[in-house]
């Protein structure tokens, strides 16, 4: 993905997260540098997350492109997203947070926040001119 598209994905994911959670809209540029970097880290991780699920991001529209993930892919992707978030959060020096626990210790509402980010990827990537497709064997 182009750097500008990584930033656009980060901004779109941030906006989607606030909308779904019923929080007031805050522009990506109005976030703190650390908040922007947290969203950028998630966007940069998206190709790796999808690759771990046997998928890839391709520029343009492609036959067989995925508009949604399976339930199994969604759950596995959410676990990976949570692990990424934990690693990022610790890397920036934050060691105390109620969600800095293994996936199995999270409450269902918090797990759904991770699913939200992963569930939106095919649609948000399509809006940026990319397709999510099954990786070749």
């Amino acid at each position: 993905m182009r750097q500008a598209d990584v930033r656009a994905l980060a901004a779109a994911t941030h906006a989607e997260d606030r909308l779904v959670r019923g929080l007031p809209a805050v522009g990506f540029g109005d976030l703190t540098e650390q908040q922007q970097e947290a969203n950028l880290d998630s966007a940069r991780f998206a190709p790796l997350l999808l690759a771990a699920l046997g998928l890839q991001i391709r520029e343009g529209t492609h036959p067989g492109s995925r508009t949604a993930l399976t339930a199994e892919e969604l759950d596995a992707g959410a676990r990976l997203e949570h692990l990424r978030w934990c690693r990022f959060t610790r890397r920036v020096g934050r060691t105390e947070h109620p969600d800095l626990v293994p996936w199995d210790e999270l409450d269902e509402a918090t797990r759904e926040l991770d699913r939200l980010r992963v569930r939106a990827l095919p649609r948000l990537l399509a809006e940026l001119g990319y397709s999510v497709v099954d990786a070749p064997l």
Side-chain angles (χ1 to χ4, degrees):
M1 286 178 49
R2 294 180 297 271
Q3 186 60 32
D5 292 335
V6 169
R7 186 169 179 80
L9 179 60
T13 303
H14 162 72
E16 175 105 354
D17 179 64
R18 294 195 67 85
L19 177 69
V20 170
R21 293 170 67 187
L23 299 172
V26 175
F28 191 75
D30 295 327
L31 298 175
T32 66
E33 187 176 323
Q34 186 172 349
Q35 290 170 323
Q36 286 184 24
E37 186 53 37
N39 284 284
L40 287 165
D41 189 67
S42 179
R44 284 189 293 265
F45 186 67
L48 298 172
L49 184 150
L50 291 169
L53 301 177
L55 303 168
Q56 64 182 194
I57 299 170
R58 296 190 53 199
E59 204 165 349
T61 303
H62 294 274
S65 64
R66 305 280 294 277
T67 59
L69 303 177
T70 67
E72 182 179 40
E73 291 165 342
L74 181 59
D75 191 53
R79 286 173 178 266
L80 290 171
E81 172 58 21
H82 178 68
L83 180 60
R84 183 220 50 88
W85 176 85
C86 288
R87 290 176 54 91
F88 175 84
T89 300
R90 289 185 183 107
R91 193 171 62 239
V92 297
R94 191 167 181 192
T95 58
E96 297 295 323
H97 189 286
D99 298 334
L100 278 173
V101 297
W103 174 265
D104 293 336
E105 295 177 27
L106 291 174
D107 60 50
E108 190 56 31
T110 303
R111 288 179 185 182
E112 188 56 32
L113 294 176
D114 289 315
R115 288 186 193 108
L116 164 73
R117 283 188 171 260
V118 176
R119 184 181 293 117
L121 282 174
R123 179 177 48 79
L124 295 177
L125 286 164
E127 290 171 5
L128 294 171
Y130 293 91
S131 296
V132 174
V133 298
D134 292 314
L137 297 176

